[in-house]
Amino acid sequence: MLSYGCLPRRALAGGVLANRYGLASPWIVGGVLNLAATAVTVPLLIRYRKR
């Protein structure tokens, strides 16, 4: 529910980025955010699995 509630905000942010910096910028920002989320969660998952 929280994820779907944020969709309009993410769409607005993507539109603003695309308008200011070009159509590739939302993809680049999204990729960087996904990479950061993965870098944070993978070590936690590995640590949890070892228990």
Side-chain angles (χ1 to χ4, degrees):
M1 217 162 122
L2 183 63
S3 177
Y4 285 116
C6 292
L7 280 174
R9 291 184 188 124
R10 291 186 299 214
L12 179 64
V16 169
L17 278 173
N19 189 28
R20 289 187 183 175
Y21 303 110
L23 290 176
S25 62
W27 291 97
I28 294 169
V29 171
V32 168
L33 291 176
N34 280 328
L35 184 62
T38 302
V40 168
T41 56
V42 167
L44 295 173
L45 292 173
I46 291 171
R47 193 175 330 151
Y48 177 75
R49 185 176 178 194
K50 289 182 180 182
R51 289 185 183 181

